[in-house]
Amino acid sequence: MTWNRLRRPSLVLLLLTALGGIGFVLRADEPSSSTRDGTPLKEKAITQEDREHWAFIPPSRPELPEVLDKQWGRNPIDRFVLAQLEENGLAHAPEADRPTLLRRVTFDLTGLPPTPAELDAFLDDPAPLAFERVVDRLLASPQYGERWAQHWLDLARYADTDGFEFDQARPDAWRYRDWVVGALNADMPYDEFVRRQLAGDEIDPDDPQSFVATGFNRCYPDMVDLNDQKLRRQNALNDITETTGLVFLGLTIGCARCHDHKFDPIRLSDFYRLQAFFTPARFRDDYPVAPASVRHENERQVAAWAADLAALEAAILALEIPLRKQLSLGLRATVTDEVVSAYHKPAAERTPQEVKLLFDTLEKDRRIKSEVFGLLLGPDLASIRTRLRARLGVVQKSAPAALPQARGLDEVGTSAPPTHLLRRGDFYNQGPEIDPGFPAVLASRASQIPVIQPNARSTGRRTKLAEWLLESRNPLTGRVMVNRIWQRHFGRGIVATASDFGMMGAEPSHPELLDWLATEFVARGWSLKAMHRLMLTSATYRQSSRNDPTAFQADPENSLLWRHARQRLDGEAIRDALLAVSNQLNRELGGPCVFPELPAELTKLSSHGAVWPVSRNREDQNRRSLYVFVRRNLRYPFFEAFDRPDTNASCPVRSVTTIAPQALSLMNSKLALDAARGLASRIARDAGPNPDARIGLAYRLALGRTPRPEESELARRFLGPETKESLTGFCLALLNVNEFVYVD
């Protein structure tokens, strides 16, 4: 079945009628949805044509196409690619040579260059499955998780600071980064990977790592000093909703925050229905990460301490709140609903948590000075208040030692606060209350608003959202993820707009292949490593990047994959390669962030190290780029030169520019100069005094191959009567050739 025939309405109706199903049913034009009380919402209808968009039709497993060349293909991927090449009269490129293949796949899976020993082992292995063994070895490497975590963190808009004016540090954000690395290395099935990040606290509430996984939702930029804290929370919910749509569904859901989407069949109500899954969430920065026994003992100590604290705070509030009411000084308008509720409760009914919340809020209200309270209370009560506050100071300082903490989401009960549709996205212009629900174009009228069963500790809303995303008939989740993997290995996704599968996104270059991969992904248990292996061992991946003028004329963008796409390394991989070839790379896994040295001119921005406190240990400075502190308002300059994305938003595809600072960074930066010196020392030590041996090792370390005769001759002439300085200069030149930063 070809793609054009699949798009015909009659076959689409036939296909979906046969599937039946929960939520994913093609229907005729439908009226607008309604609010919680049944009031109709005036919004655009979802039409038959909307539902026929290719991305909203559940993937069906296509038959493998017939091809003329029966010898080339290594797995089903090649049949789909070759069928389109033959249909367009194009030929595939020959297979790349082994050094090129090894360098390509090693950078793809680990972000590091192959070593000379790995090159020799591959070249000396005559077995037909030698390359497959290389792929398996790299997938089993701890460096695989580090490399692919960076791709996921781009999507998650991960950073170690809040952003905005003060850009405060998030000292425990790195725990989420390490969770991603661990999950990828363990080949956690993608469906579980999604569930844990959306609802880990609901799925396994006693597992600290499941809570850490929900840190995905806490990576948003945050204006912590915003006057209206309710608006601050709403901004966070907006960001979480938008990112969920982009990352898991590949849809620009956020465009419907203020009005119905201009291009996609996504309504204003769809945005807020999706947001309602997250409305009950509590944003925690203090979740204790420790074994259950340790955590329970600490919780007992903290509870006893908090009870003492609450008793003192309650006694102080009992003295001060009547005076506030007497002076008609109520709460400020910007406080949260939880504070308002606690304020109006009788004192005896407030929980210790409510007492603390209310006390902390009123402490920030400076409209009444402390001495005024003393005058109004009179000498006896003022004396009691003074003693209470003195005792409070002592108790506050006696808090139990804090356990390691993490950022994430959890919930405090089985009921949820209301979610309101916001007119024009304006927090101060609330519309009707609506229930959690799925985008109408992806659900039938009957299934758009799901039945959600609360569990013992939470509403269960985010668990239900994860279940729907991972439904076998969900048309987007599987397609979006296999497309992201394809994009990283082939330079561009089958759908070039990796986070926009909507009406304005690119159509798939190989639609049947995309559907086959999506169904194969599920069939292989959502295993990411299985999909890597499938793609990497295809003949399509093994092609040379050699240009064919005839093919280029017909398909200049290589959409049909008649050759392998040459790709430039990102800044993190270039820095790691510089450290690796110079034998300086510290391969320690995980842990808190590190701070490499900044250029001298940028250190002036640092207030005695507050902005960028350089790590004292040199080995820490030389850890992998994944562990470099990610400051939103001050990107590490080397990464910024090589197109490190803005961490204020999800990034599906990094820009690739060619600008002067890149060449300047590779030629003149301290990082590059130290790498050249380190590489020269390594060559002098390991290759001995023979010039040819030194040149050969330099090429094998830096470029993953032996030098061609003309390159050896040019190198000998450059080195001349060799000195330490000439060898360092040669190494610096080698680190500046295009081949060092590009992968064929």
Side-chain angles (χ1 to χ4, degrees):
M1 180 183 295
T2 68
W3 186 247
N4 288 333
R5 289 202 298 271
L6 181 61
R7 289 173 61 87
R8 287 168 52 189
S10 58
L11 285 179
V12 172
L13 281 168
L14 181 63
L15 170 65
L16 290 180
T17 302
L19 284 173
I22 305 170
F24 306 105
V25 181
L26 190 65
R27 298 170 57 247
D29 292 11
E30 62 182 27
S32 300
S33 60
S34 58
T35 63
R36 184 169 188 151
D37 62 6
T39 305
L41 290 172
K42 294 181 180 180
E43 52 191 355
K44 66 180 180 182
I46 304 300
T47 68
Q48 178 95 351
E49 184 179 2
D50 292 333
R51 293 181 181 275
E52 289 177 16
H53 178 61
W54 69 267
F56 304 150
I57 301 170
S60 60
R61 192 175 182 84
E63 296 293 330
L64 298 184
E66 291 298 324
V67 294
L68 298 176
D69 183 352
K70 307 292 186 182
Q71 304 301 314
W72 180 65
R74 292 176 177 270
N75 66 37
I77 287 174
D78 303 319
R79 293 271 292 272
F80 290 102
V81 172
L82 186 57
Q84 286 211 25
L85 289 174
E86 291 180 345
E87 185 179 338
N88 287 272
L90 300 178
H92 58 78
E95 184 167 303
D97 59 54
R98 282 200 168 193
T100 298
L101 273 180
L102 182 65
R103 189 168 189 268
R104 178 191 300 172
V105 74
T106 306
F107 269 114
D108 272 6
L109 287 180
T110 70
L112 294 171
T115 65
E118 290 166 346
L119 177 61
D120 290 340
F122 185 42
L123 293 177
D124 293 341
D125 187 350
L129 297 180
F131 185 68
E132 283 77 359
R133 283 202 287 267
V134 168
V135 171
D136 289 340
R137 172 178 60 79
L138 294 171
L139 286 172
S141 163
Q143 283 71 49
Y144 158 75
E146 292 180 312
R147 178 57 177 163
W148 279 78
Q150 184 62 68
H151 300 325
W152 187 259
L153 296 178
D154 279 1
L155 292 168
R157 74 273 189 241
Y158 172 86
D160 295 298
T161 64
D162 291 327
F164 293 101
E165 181 181 0
F166 296 105
D167 204 22
Q168 294 177 359
R170 297 172 172 177
D172 300 304
W174 61 269
R175 296 187 192 281
Y176 169 69
R177 173 249 288 156
D178 280 4
W179 180 86
V180 174
V181 174
L184 293 175
N185 275 333
D187 197 22
M188 178 181 287
Y190 183 67
D191 58 343
E192 190 66 15
F193 188 68
V194 172
R195 286 191 190 95
R196 297 282 167 173
Q197 291 181 86
L198 289 179
D201 61 299
E202 293 185 329
I203 294 167
D204 195 350
D206 292 323
D207 176 22
Q209 288 304 309
S210 292
F211 176 87
V212 171
T214 67
F216 171 83
N217 305 284
R218 300 296 315 285
C219 292
Y220 52 81
D222 188 10
M223 189 181 292
V224 295
D225 61 328
L226 196 64
N227 287 334
D228 189 340
Q229 290 294 295
K230 290 186 287 187
L231 176 59
R232 175 192 173 197
R233 177 179 172 82
Q234 181 61 44
N235 289 341
L237 288 171
N238 288 344
D239 188 286
I240 292 169
T241 307
E242 178 176 9
T243 303
T244 298
L246 288 169
V247 174
F248 301 115
L249 291 171
L251 292 177
T252 55
I253 294 282
C255 293
R257 181 170 68 88
C258 304
H259 48 69
D260 291 345
H261 201 295
K262 294 296 185 184
F263 306 107
D264 292 343
I266 301 171
R267 305 160 165 174
L268 178 69
S269 62
D270 288 329
F271 180 85
Y272 291 101
R273 289 198 193 286
L274 188 61
Q275 187 171 106
F277 288 102
F278 297 96
T279 302
R282 174 174 62 167
F283 300 164
R284 288 194 64 178
D285 298 341
D286 60 350
Y287 184 91
V289 181
S293 59
V294 176
R295 193 167 70 251
H296 293 157
E297 174 58 22
N298 181 260
E299 287 171 353
R300 186 194 65 76
Q301 295 175 4
V302 170
W305 172 77
D308 291 344
L309 205 64
L312 291 167
E313 291 173 342
I316 294 170
L317 290 175
L319 293 173
E320 294 184 359
I321 285 180
L323 295 180
R324 287 178 175 276
K325 293 181 177 179
Q326 181 182 332
L327 296 171
S328 299
L329 285 175
L331 297 170
R332 292 188 180 275
T334 56
V335 301
T336 64
D337 294 338
E338 291 83 356
V339 173
V340 174
S341 174
Y343 183 77
H344 290 295
K345 273 187 179 182
E349 296 180 12
R350 293 183 191 127
T351 66
Q353 293 80 12
E354 288 174 327
V355 169
K356 176 170 178 54
L357 181 64
L358 183 56
F359 184 85
D360 290 346
T361 301
L362 294 180
E363 283 292 278
K364 298 174 185 176
D365 185 348
R366 305 299 184 186
R367 289 177 293 174
I368 306 180
K369 295 184 181 297
S370 182
E371 52 267 28
V372 173
F373 278 120
L375 290 173
L376 294 175
L377 286 170
D380 293 338
L381 291 178
S383 176
I384 293 173
R385 177 176 175 273
T386 299
R387 291 198 299 273
L388 287 172
R389 283 196 165 271
R391 176 62 184 159
L392 178 64
V394 173
V395 173
Q396 286 174 331
K397 294 177 182 178
S398 66
L403 295 174
Q405 296 178 336
R407 294 167 53 88
L409 298 182
D410 67 1
E411 295 184 13
V412 293
T414 59
S415 61
T419 301
H420 291 276
L421 184 147
L422 303 182
R423 298 184 181 93
R424 297 186 179 276
D426 183 357
F427 177 65
Y428 301 106
N429 190 5
Q430 289 189 348
E433 182 180 348
I434 58 176
D435 288 310
F438 312 125
V441 73
L442 301 177
S444 69
R445 190 66 174 274
S447 64
Q448 185 189 4
I449 309 301
V451 176
I452 303 174
Q453 294 295 331
N455 59 36
R457 304 186 192 181
S458 70
T459 62
R461 288 188 178 189
R462 285 175 286 120
T463 300
K464 177 61 71 173
L465 174 60
E467 289 174 355
W468 174 77
L469 285 170
L470 298 161
E471 248 281 340
S472 61
R473 285 178 293 275
N474 189 308
L476 289 167
T477 309
R479 277 182 178 139
V480 167
M481 191 57 198
V482 295
N483 187 66
R484 295 196 193 282
I485 302 171
W486 187 275
Q487 168 197 321
R488 299 297 178 182
H489 289 316
F490 293 90
R492 186 171 71 171
I494 296 173
V495 178
T497 50
S499 284
D500 186 1
F501 278 44
M503 303 296 186
M504 300 301 288
E507 294 229 350
S509 60
H510 296 74
E512 288 86 2
L513 173 58
L514 180 62
D515 279 8
W516 187 87
L517 288 170
T519 56
E520 186 71 9
F521 190 25
V522 177
R524 296 194 181 209
W526 298 90
S527 169
L528 293 169
K529 288 189 177 182
M531 299 311 293
H532 286 300
R533 195 177 194 280
L534 182 66
M535 294 178 192
L536 295 172
T537 57
S538 67
T540 304
Y541 179 81
R542 299 191 198 195
Q543 290 182 101
S544 163
S545 61
R546 187 189 70 183
N547 186 41
D548 179 337
T550 302
F552 183 81
Q553 177 101 13
D555 180 23
E557 294 187 355
N558 192 32
S559 299
L560 298 177
L561 299 167
W562 49 269
R563 65 169 177 170
H564 191 81
R566 197 178 195 218
Q567 297 185 60
R568 198 200 70 198
L569 297 173
D570 56 39
E572 293 90 334
I574 296 172
R575 175 181 175 272
D576 290 347
L578 288 170
L579 293 173
V581 301
S582 59
N583 208 31
Q584 299 178 83
L585 182 64
N586 177 357
R587 295 176 182 248
E588 181 184 352
L589 293 173
C593 300
V594 297
F595 297 83
E597 290 184 55
L598 292 178
E601 58 271 21
L602 282 181
T603 59
K604 299 174 184 177
L605 298 177
S606 175
S607 176
H608 302 292
V611 172
W612 196 272
V614 175
S615 298
R616 294 182 180 180
N617 188 328
R618 180 69 182 181
E619 290 187 357
D620 285 342
Q621 295 181 37
N622 289 342
R623 293 190 65 201
R624 286 202 69 171
S625 298
L626 178 72
Y627 304 114
V628 172
F629 190 79
V630 182
R631 182 172 285 285
R632 281 196 158 98
N633 291 358
L634 180 64
R635 277 177 279 188
Y636 183 59
F638 190 86
F639 298 159
E640 185 165 27
F642 285 95
D643 306 307
R644 174 76 183 236
D646 182 354
T647 52
N648 287 309
S650 176
C651 176
V653 183
R654 290 191 179 193
S655 300
V656 179
T657 64
T658 302
I659 56 175
Q662 294 166 356
L664 294 172
S665 295
L666 282 172
M667 182 64 74
N668 299 322
S669 69
K670 187 175 186 300
L671 171 66
L673 293 172
D674 285 348
R677 295 185 190 103
L679 178 57
S681 297
R682 182 178 185 181
I683 291 167
R685 182 184 65 247
D686 295 348
N690 185 287
D692 287 338
R694 290 186 171 193
I695 293 167
L697 181 58
Y699 267 83
R700 284 154 57 81
L701 285 168
L703 306 182
R705 62 172 177 85
T706 56
R708 293 183 282 272
E710 64 272 19
E711 292 171 328
S712 293
E713 175 60 26
L714 183 63
R716 282 193 293 270
R717 287 164 51 196
F718 179 89
L719 289 169
E722 190 176 316
T723 64
K724 183 178 180 180
E725 290 72 21
S726 66
L727 183 58
T728 299
F730 167 67
C731 290
L732 182 61
L734 202 57
L735 299 177
N736 274 268
V737 299
N738 265 2
E739 195 175 343
F740 182 75
V741 296
Y742 280 86
V743 175
D744 280 318

